[in-house]
Amino acid sequence: MSTAFVNGITINYELEGEGPETVVLVNGLADDLATWEAQVPALLDAGLRVLRFDNRGIGASDKPAGPYTSRLLADDAKALVDHLGLTGIHLAGVSMGGMIAQEYALAYPDDLKSLTLACTYAAPGPFCSRMFALWADMAREMGVPTVMRDVGLWAFTVPFFEERPEEAAEFDTAMAEMTMTVEAYLSQLNVIQTHDTTERLAQLTAPTLVLAGEEDILIPVRLSRRLHEAVPGARWATVPGGHACLWETPEPFNTTLIDFVRAHSG
């Protein structure tokens, strides 16, 4: 792990691989760079260089007072990319990371060779907004680990709990051990509550893949579909699993991402 002082904060990051093409991975709410542990080996085996990092508010990055926005976190990512001298990147974000990636692509289009938006939306709408308001109340009353245990029920599919009980138990244990403060959680939660690129998506110019887990009920697939329909020329793909498809079914997720990156390399 390494750190960089950029955009007024210290960001914890890891840059791996020697390939000519760089994939920048952006995490979701309350997730640190370990989010991508099921993806990094496949990306490296595909000959890609991989940058991942802790967003502000999580992991070993700074946790300044919030609230945060998707544009603020996009500016953090841009500052880190510039600090490392990276150009012509393939940007991929999941969930909140996909919202950050949208703002990055709108603000800094010349940086990108491709854009992958996984399990995400252009705006939360009334269903997700109600869910997130409940999470905020739960965090204040019961703490972040309890909220994240609830998130797990939305993130994985029924077969995951039926067929992989040991992994489900490991997830619960990891959530119970979370050290994220309520303040930091609410600062990041604001990102997904206030994000809205609906009226600007037509400005996107990077080749874009919108990817969804077939059974995603946390960010319903129909919201990802709306995002896809609003991005000019975007490709649509689904993979087995729910919101946490990058963990539950990493192989098809990885293959879909790698194939898209390769199609826009060089």
Side-chain angles (χ1 to χ4, degrees), residues 26-28 70 92-102 115-124 128 132 191-192 195 197 201 208-213 216 218-228 231 236 242-243 245:
V26 192
N27 325 322
S70 49
V94 64
S95 195
M96 183 183 80
M99 303 169 206
I100 297 165
Q102 291 168 50
L115 174 66
T116 298
L117 306 173
C119 306
T120 194
Y121 53 57
C128 286
F132 303 153
V191 174
I192 66 174
H195 174 78
T197 54
L201 291 173
T208 301
L209 167 66
V210 179
L211 174 63
D216 195 341
L218 197 162
I219 292 182
V221 177
R222 66 177 61 239
L223 296 188
S224 295
R225 269 290 193 187
R226 289 178 194 169
L227 171 63
H228 162 255
V231 178
W236 171 256
H243 190 69
C245 55

Side-chain angles (χ1 to χ4, degrees), residues 91-256:
L91 185 63
V94 64
S95 195
M96 183 183 80
M99 303 169 206
I100 297 165
Q102 291 168 50
E103 289 289 2
Y104 191 117
L106 287 164
Y108 312 109
D110 293 342
D111 285 6
L112 305 188
K113 285 188 177 181
S114 75
L115 174 66
T116 298
L117 306 173
C119 306
T120 194
Y121 53 57
F127 171 77
C128 286
S129 294
R130 285 171 179 259
M131 184 194 313
F132 303 153
L134 178 60
W135 289 357
D137 291 343
M138 290 173 66
R140 294 185 184 101
E141 294 296 326
M142 294 180 282
V144 177
T146 299
V147 178
M148 296 306 294
R149 287 181 62 201
D150 179 68
V151 171
L153 297 174
W154 293 84
F156 295 97
T157 65
V158 169
F160 175 79
F161 293 102
E162 291 178 341
E163 300 165 11
R164 297 155 68 176
E166 292 183 359
E167 292 179 56
E170 289 174 4
F171 181 85
D172 281 347
T173 298
M175 294 305 97
E177 296 173 351
M178 277 198 73
T179 59
M180 190 179 197
T181 66
V182 171
E183 292 75 18
Y185 176 79
L186 294 175
S187 292
Q188 280 202 351
L189 185 66
N190 186 73
V191 174
I192 66 174
Q193 290 177 300
T194 61
H195 174 78
D196 190 347
T197 54
T198 306
E199 301 301 323
R200 295 178 286 142
L201 291 173
Q203 301 170 24
L204 287 174
T205 57
T208 301
L209 167 66
V210 179
L211 174 63
E214 293 170 358
E215 298 183 62
D216 195 341
I217 58 173
L218 197 162
I219 292 182
V221 177
R222 66 177 61 239
L223 296 188
S224 295
R225 269 290 193 187
R226 289 178 194 169
L227 171 63
H228 162 255
E229 291 165 0
V231 178
R235 180 187 162 195
W236 171 256
T238 60
V239 296
H243 190 69
C245 55
L246 77 167
W247 301 333
E248 187 173 346
T249 56
E251 292 82 5
F253 184 98
N254 298 346
T255 298
T256 304

Side-chain angles (χ1 to χ4, degrees), residues 79-99:
L80 179 61
V81 165
D82 286 352
H83 173 80
L84 296 172
L86 303 177
T87 58
I89 62 173
H90 301 272
L91 185 63
V94 64
S95 195
M96 183 183 80
M99 303 169 206

